[in-house]
Amino acid sequence: MEKLLEVKNLETSFKTSAGEVHAVRGVSFDLEKGEALGIVGESGCGKSVTMMSIMRLLADNGRLAGGEIFFNGKDISNVKESEMETIRGNDIGMIFQDPMTSLNPVYTIGDQLMEPLLKHRKISKAEARKEAINMLGLVGIPSPEKRMKQYPHEFSGGMRQRAMIAMSLICAPKLIIADEPTTALDVTIQAQILDLMKDLKQKLDTAIILITHDLGVVADVCTKINVMYGGIIVETGTTEDIFYRGKHPYTWGLLRSVPNPKEDVKEKLIPIEGQPPDLLNPPVGCPFAARCDYAMKVCLQKQPPLFEVGEKHHTACWLCHEDAPKVESPIRRMK
Ligand code: SF4
């Protein structure tokens, strides 16, 4: 399989009045063409900052402090902003939680869909209009010709999200990055949007990175998952690895509130007590140690490496060291 995205040892930090916040601390992963990856963790774990770093859309006080980002074989961590703009318009589409951050309230949906086509593809207005109508139909918007003339405020929340998905796909990007795309929607619409993303991925063979705090959201769409905590990847594996063979105590914490996709059974919901680490002064050891029921002496002294625990499954936890005490997962479905 061909690699579409390779992130190597990414470090991102933000200058604040209190000092430098180390939001992403050595993150590495890759994505093949047409693959769907979920990045999961609580807010502040670094998942959105990782993606904003890749897109080079960091706030003014943020900077890439280290690492490399290869997209389609080319290192894009240092390319000029004008080149990055083309990549963002053509090759990587984005979907956010709030469609109104991407949709302009003063232009019709049709104009907004046609604009990137006219800018990046140099096609006629009639052709752009035809493609825009097709795309609205593809994302399940009824009467697309009529909807082309409407403004975003005339669409419901779910329809706006569909319109934004249409906008992100209009230039046929190789990769879509969706950041909490369904969080603001009710459960039924959420399921519809996730089904739509899955369906479009199959039809268009677009790679997807789905960022969410909810492991349940990625179960159906993604084939592999990175679990992030404290600015690092603490566990990575196939969706099956994470759901049925997860090894990191933080992953277990996230899984407790998610229904078993095979049996639709929820584990007893036990919130993870405590606060995420202060990334102004990241801990020297495991970032989860202060909240972990299994913490040992070594956990406070040394950050665990990613141990290989399966073919594509890696876990940054000292419990995976060959000399560690054997601990059974508290997740019912893993026993
Ligand atoms: Fe818990 Fe230690 Fe594993 Fe960190 S390394 S998750 S503190 S057992």
Side-chain angles (χ1 to χ4, degrees):
M1 287 282 258
E2 245 177 293
K3 278 195 182 139
L4 180 65
L5 180 71
E6 265 186 287
V7 176
K8 294 183 181 174
N9 220 7
L10 182 74
E11 310 229 348
T12 305
S13 58
F14 293 90
K15 273 212 170 93
T16 69
S17 53
E20 190 144 11
V21 175
H22 303 275
V24 175
R25 306 185 293 135
V27 160
S28 302
F29 66 92
D30 51 43
L31 186 72
E32 284 159 9
K33 288 192 173 159
E35 195 173 35
L37 164 74
I39 302 189
V40 183
E42 291 166 296
S43 84
C45 70
K47 57 191 192 301
S48 295
V49 175
T50 299
M51 288 309 119
M52 289 311 215
S53 308
I54 292 169
M55 299 298 285
R56 295 255 305 275
L57 288 173
L58 293 170
D60 288 348
N61 63 339
R63 70 180 178 104
L64 287 183
E68 293 166 307
I69 303 161
F70 290 91
F71 181 72
N72 247 346
K74 181 176 181 175
D75 186 357
I76 58 166
S77 52
N78 283 313
V79 298
K80 282 195 194 122
E81 179 49 28
S82 56
E83 194 174 337
M84 209 50 223
E85 256 177 41
T86 311
I87 292 173
R88 286 196 292 263
N90 258 330
D91 299 319
I92 308 181
M94 279 179 297
I95 304 171
F96 295 104
Q97 180 177 339
D98 178 7
M100 292 314 266
T101 55
S102 301
L103 296 173
N104 190 327
V106 301
Y107 292 107
T108 63
I109 294 289
D111 281 346
Q112 294 185 62
L113 276 170
M114 286 159 61
E115 198 249 8
L117 287 174
L118 294 169
K119 185 171 165 193
H120 296 292
R121 296 256 300 272
K122 313 272 181 271
I123 57 176
S124 74
K125 223 171 162 185
E127 285 169 318
R129 189 179 141 71
K130 201 169 148 209
E131 285 205 24
I133 291 169
N134 275 346
M135 187 51 81
L136 282 181
L138 196 67
V139 299
I141 291 184
S143 321
E145 287 205 35
K146 191 176 126 210
R147 292 294 199 162
M148 286 279 285
K149 298 182 203 122
Q150 292 185 329
Y151 291 87
H153 73 268
E154 295 175 86
F155 279 48
S156 66
M159 284 295 156
R160 274 206 286 265
Q161 200 61 322
R162 284 174 192 266
M164 186 163 62
I165 293 174
M167 270 187 68
S168 68
L169 288 170
I170 195 81
C171 285
K174 297 179 185 76
L175 169 66
I176 292 273
I177 298 180
D179 194 350
E180 304 278 6
T182 58
T183 303
L185 303 170
D186 73 45
V187 180
T188 319
I189 311 283
Q190 182 170 338
Q192 287 173 6
I193 296 289
L194 291 173
D195 277 348
L196 170 67
M197 289 179 64
K198 214 166 69 177
D199 191 36
L200 291 171
K201 187 186 124 17
Q202 263 153 18
K203 274 192 194 138
L204 307 175
D205 202 30
T206 311
I208 295 181
I209 297 180
L210 183 54
I211 301 168
T212 175
H213 65 280
D214 183 350
L215 253 181
V217 164
V218 296
D220 224 18
V221 180
C222 300
T223 48
K224 65 180 192 183
I225 298 175
N226 290 344
V227 179
M228 283 191 74
Y229 187 83
I232 64 171
I233 292 175
V234 294
E235 184 149 29
T236 176
T238 64
T239 302
E240 295 265 312
D241 286 335
I242 300 297
F243 272 82
Y244 299 106
R245 298 178 286 277
K247 297 261 185 289
H248 199 285
Y250 179 63
T251 307
W252 296 340
L254 290 177
L255 280 167
R256 281 200 179 106
S257 57
V258 175
N260 180 338
K262 281 198 181 150
E263 296 161 25
D264 210 25
V265 177
K266 263 199 182 190
E267 307 282 343
K268 190 169 163 237
L269 197 141
I270 307 168
I272 306 169
E273 299 281 335
Q275 297 296 321
D278 175 7
L279 295 180
L280 263 174
N281 295 299
V284 283
C286 169
F288 192 55
R291 300 168 83 182
C292 180
D293 291 341
Y294 310 93
M296 304 166 281
K297 208 169 152 196
V298 63
C299 306
L300 301 169
Q301 295 164 340
K302 245 175 129 181
Q303 188 170 310
L306 275 167
F307 292 98
E308 188 177 333
V309 292
E311 200 193 331
K312 292 179 178 169
H313 187 185
H314 294 82
T315 308
C317 173
W318 286 117
L319 289 176
C320 299
H321 189 280
E322 54 186 5
D323 297 334
K326 296 292 161 256
V327 168
E328 198 179 84
S329 157
I331 304 296
R332 208 159 18 123
R333 77 188 76 137
M334 290 183 188
K335 287 183 179 171

